[in-house]
Each structure stands twice: as C-alpha cells, then as structure tokens.
C-alpha cells in the first residue's frame, strides 16, 4: 500500500476525531437541560411575579414560567431574614420552615423561590434506576435587595435546630416490594437519600430540590420512569427536542461503529507495515549474518553460507 493510499485511509478517521467533540456537546446532560441554568431562569421568572410597586412581605406571589416550560410552577415570597429566624414560615406550598432558620450571607430581606418541576422532574434530575413518586419541589433563597436582578447567587439556608419539613401530597404508591425514600439534591447536584418520617413528610436542613422516589431493582418496564406525575398539565411530556436527541444518539452510535471499523483497518495496516519492515530487516540481517559468518570463518566460507539460508522462515507465513 502506497503512502497516498494509507493517508486517504486516515483522513476519515481524522475528520471523525475532529467532529466528535461537537457531537458530545449536543448530547443530553449538557447546558440546555442543566438544572442550574433552570434555577437561574426560574429565579428571573419568579421575581417577575412581584408587583412593581410595594410588594408585600410574607405574601405568596405565584409566577408564570416561560412558555417552553409549561407544567412547572413557581412562586416567590419576600421576607425579612429576622422574621424568618424568629417566626419561621408556617406554610409555603409543601414547605414548613421552623423558627431558627438562618440565612447566610446576611441580607436584610430575602426572597424564597419555590419550584415545582411537575413533568419536567426526570428531565432535569434524571436518576436511572429510580422512579419519582411525586414531582420535584425546590426551595431556594435570594437577596431581595433588587427585585429586577437576574443571575443572583443563592443564599445558604440552614435549619440548625429543627429541620425544614416538606409535606408531599398526592404521592404515588411505591411499586409492590419497593420502599419509598426521600431524595434531596443539593445545589451541586449531589443527591442524598433519607427516610420518610411519616405521612409523606421529608425533612431537610438546607435549601435544594426534594422528592420521594422508589428504587427499581428488576425494572419490569421503563414506562413508570417517564415523568407522568401529578402536578403537570395533561399534555404529554414534551421533553424539548427529545426526538432530535435520539437521532443524535443513533448518529453517534453509528459514528462510533464506523470509527471502530476504521480503527481496525488502521491496526491491520500498521501490522502489515510492521511485518513488511520486519521481513526487510530479517532479510538484511541474514545477508549481514552471512557476510559476518563468511568473514569470521575465513578460508572455509562455502559450507557456512549454506547453513544461514534457512533463517528467514517468516517468509512462508506472510500471506499478502
Ligand atoms: C426556554 O426559554 C428560555 C427563554 O425564554 C430559554 O432561556 C431556555 O433555555 C428555554 N428552555 C428550554 C428547555 O428550551
Ligand atoms: C436592579 O437591577 C437592574 C438589572 O440588573 C438594574 O438595571 C437596576 O439599576 C438595579 N437597581 C438598583 C436600585 O440597583
Ligand atoms: C431508615 O429506616 C431504616 C429502617 O426502617 C433504618 O434501618 C435506617 O437506618 C434508616 N435510615 C436513616 C438514614 O435514618
């Protein structure tokens, strides 16, 4: 095989390698569906629920999510952090905050943003092997200093004495044999499990996202995992470009197969090349060996040269 031929064989491989990062960036789990960018978006939309003049303290304002995220519920409530600490919040959807809750860093007023992800729960918080028995609800705190702000950092809420409780209603019953557990995602996306205390109540010591899940052991059918849970509207889960994602996955699997074929061709070619190189070297070596032998023996050269002729046995194995 000529140099040109081998180069033309490497070209598709090179193109593939260059193209691959672009494919990977489009696979699910990336920016567009990241839970943190959803938090930022929902902070913006929840803050828009406040009236532009004199928003009241301690009042729940229901917000409107962007139209591409119907099924998500958001609310905002503005509080003095002093009142949160001394009185708590009796009822904010599923959440009840006891006395003693501390906000860090200190702000005079804060906004508690509530999220109910409805049918989007599994989309933004996919946990293979588990099924959500209730939509994910989130509780996040922001500085209330400027209600037009976007991309605000979350404040840290801590309940050091009594935990915050989350009372879920309309929880699906766990498939038989499986027990339900509370799940908590902190803001880094780390998930932690805990026991349901009673009456579908989970407890928390910090802000984050919460739900009740059941673990699948045998996974009889994948349908219960789809986010068809109460809270969302009736239209089917429109998981934002799900089909094109499937095609991207199919495409990258096919691409991977092509890559595999190309790689094996490359390996074959390298082996053949090495083989040829070796053959040439052995031929050379046998010639040199011949010469050396002849030289060292001196006068009786003819018989020794005959003996070395048997060395390049490999030649017979080589099948082009
Ligand atoms: C929904 O729309 C907002 C802007 O209105 C955009 O920032 C966001 O990325 C969109 N989300 C999805 C999942 O399409
Ligand atoms: C509040 O934030 C908005 C957007 O960032 C900004 O335009 C406005 O000037 C801010 N207002 C105050 C009082 O800081
Ligand atoms: C949850 O409950 C089980 C028994 O019901 C117990 O063995 C386990 O330690 C509990 N886990 C936690 C984190 O409390």
């Amino acid at each position: 095989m000529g140099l040109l031929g081998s180069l033309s064989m490497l070209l598709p491989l090179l193109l593939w390698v260059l193209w691959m990062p672009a494919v990977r960036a489009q696979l699910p789990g990336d920016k567009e569906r990241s839970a943190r960018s959803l938090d930022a978006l929902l902070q913006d939309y929840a803050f828009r629920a406040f009236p532009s003049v004199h928003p009241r303290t301690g009042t729940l304002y229901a917000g409107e999510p962007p139209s591409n995220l119907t099924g998500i519920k958001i609310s905002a409530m503005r509080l003095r952090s002093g009142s949160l600490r001394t009185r708590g919040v009796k009822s904010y959807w599923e959440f009840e905050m006891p006395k003693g809750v501390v906000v860090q860093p200190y702000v005079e007023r804060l906004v508690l943003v509530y999220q109910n992800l409805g049918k989007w729960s599994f989309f933004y918080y996919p946990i293979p092997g588990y099924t959500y028995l209730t939509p994910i609800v989130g509780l996040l705190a922001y500085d209330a200093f400027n209600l037009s702000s976007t991309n605000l950092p979350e404040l840290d809420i801590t309940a050091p004495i009594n935990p915050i409780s989350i009372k879920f209603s309309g929880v699906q019953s766990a498939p038989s044999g499986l027990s339900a557990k509370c799940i908590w995602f902190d803001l880094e996306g780390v998930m932690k499990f805990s026991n349901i205390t009673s009456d579908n109540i989970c407890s928390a010591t910090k802000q984050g996202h919460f739900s009740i899940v059941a673990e699948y052991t045998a996974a009889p059918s994948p349908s219960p995992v789809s986010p068809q849970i109460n809270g969302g509207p009736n239209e089917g889960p429109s998981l934002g470009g799900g089909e094109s994602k499937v095609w991207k996955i199919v495409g990258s699997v096919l691409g991977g197969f092509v890559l595999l074929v190309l790689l094996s061709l490359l390996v074959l070619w390298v082996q053949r090349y090495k083989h040829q190189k070796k053959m040439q070297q052995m031929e050379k070596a046998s010639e040199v060996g011949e010469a050396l032998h002849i030289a060292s023996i001196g006068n009786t050269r003819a018989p020794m040269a005959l003996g070395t002729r048997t060395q390049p046995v490999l030649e017979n194995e080589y099948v082009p």
Side-chain angles (χ1 to χ4, degrees), residues 145-150:
F145 178 72
N146 182 347
L147 297 179
S148 312
S149 303
T150 55

Side-chain angles (χ1 to χ4, degrees), residues 6 16 26 32 50 55 58 97 114 136 158 161 168 183 187 196 223 228 254 279 282 284 301 305 313 317 320:
S6 38
W16 165 259
Q26 286 165 354
E32 59 174 315
F50 289 117
M97 303 176 83
Y114 166 84
I136 285 183
T158 319
I161 308 160
F168 291 97
I183 189 167
L187 293 186
I196 302 176
S223 56
Q228 286 275 20
L254 280 179
M279 294 290 303
M282 286 186 73
K284 236 187 229 163
R301 32 177 66 186
V313 173
E317 287 172 18

Side-chain angles (χ1 to χ4, degrees), residues 3-317:
L3 184 66
L4 218 65
S6 38
L7 271 183
S8 68
M9 211 169 81
L10 279 176
L11 200 65
L13 180 68
L14 259 176
L15 283 177
W16 165 259
V17 167
L18 289 177
W19 180 58
M20 220 161 42
V23 174
R24 220 184 292 124
Q26 286 165 354
L27 288 177
D30 287 303
K31 199 162 168 274
E32 59 174 315
R33 78 182 267 183
S34 116
R36 292 303 285 147
S37 57
L38 179 71
D39 287 342
L41 190 67
L42 296 184
Q43 178 263 311
D44 179 8
Y45 278 77
F47 272 46
R48 296 183 197 185
F50 289 117
S52 48
V53 284
H54 306 307
R56 283 194 282 169
T57 299
T59 299
L60 187 158
Y61 291 99
E64 275 291 321
S67 56
N68 56 1
L69 291 171
T70 50
I72 291 185
K73 283 196 285 183
I74 47 174
S75 300
M77 185 192 280
R78 199 173 66 131
L79 290 173
R80 291 180 159 275
S81 62
S83 124
L84 179 63
R85 196 182 62 247
T86 54
R87 276 184 276 170
V89 177
K90 270 273 169 304
S91 138
Y92 186 30
W93 297 109
E94 286 85 354
F95 293 91
E96 182 184 334
M97 303 176 83
K99 290 177 194 170
V101 172
V102 183
V103 173
Q104 281 169 317
Y106 175 81
V107 292
E108 194 185 341
R109 288 187 181 82
L110 68 138
V111 175
L112 287 177
V113 168
Y114 166 84
Q115 310 174 352
N116 182 321
L117 299 191
K119 64 182 181 182
W120 294 87
S121 300
F122 196 83
F123 182 76
Y124 281 101
Y125 292 87
I127 40 169
Y130 292 88
T131 182
Y132 285 107
L133 302 178
T134 178
I136 285 183
V137 295
L139 184 71
L140 302 173
Y142 300 92
D143 189 352
F145 178 72
N146 182 347
L147 297 179
S148 312
S149 303
T150 55
N151 288 315
L152 282 174
E154 280 84 11
L155 302 171
D156 198 40
I157 316 173
T158 319
I161 308 160
N162 297 310
I164 299 164
S165 55
I166 308 132
K167 187 176 190 341
F168 291 97
S169 55
V171 179
Q172 291 178 0
S173 50
S176 61
L178 304 181
S179 61
K181 281 185 264 186
C182 296
I183 189 167
W184 166 45
F185 298 92
D186 70 15
L187 293 186
E188 278 75 47
V190 177
M191 58 181 185
K192 296 187 180 80
F193 295 97
S194 62
N195 286 337
I196 302 176
T197 44
S198 66
D199 276 351
N200 293 327
I201 294 178
C202 296
S203 45
T205 53
K206 284 198 168 290
Q207 73 280 3
H209 293 84
F210 307 88
S211 186
I212 293 177
V213 293
E215 186 175 6
Y216 269 100
T217 40
S221 83
S223 56
V225 183
S226 78
Q228 286 275 20
I229 29 189
N230 64 323
N234 297 327
E235 77 248 40
S238 62
L239 297 185
E243 271 185 3
S244 72
K245 279 198 181 100
V246 167
W247 281 113
K248 276 168 198 159
I249 292 168
V250 168
S252 46
V253 167
L254 280 179
F257 180 72
V258 170
L259 176 66
L260 206 71
V261 170
L262 283 175
L263 268 178
S264 351
L265 282 176
L266 180 69
V267 166
L268 269 176
W269 175 74
V270 166
Q271 273 180 347
R272 273 175 69 152
Y273 177 76
K274 269 188 173 167
H275 198 93
Q276 280 175 341
K277 221 19 196 278
K278 205 170 168 188
M279 294 290 303
Q280 284 171 0
Q281 273 174 354
M282 286 186 73
E283 272 166 22
K284 236 187 229 163
S286 67
E287 277 162 22
V288 172
E290 225 171 2
L292 275 176
H293 262 116
I294 293 162
S296 64
I297 302 302
N299 295 337
T300 55
R301 32 177 66 186
M304 299 318 284
L306 266 174
T308 56
R309 272 291 167 207
T310 51
Q311 263 186 0
V313 173
L314 261 170
E315 210 158 25
N316 305 327
E317 287 172 18

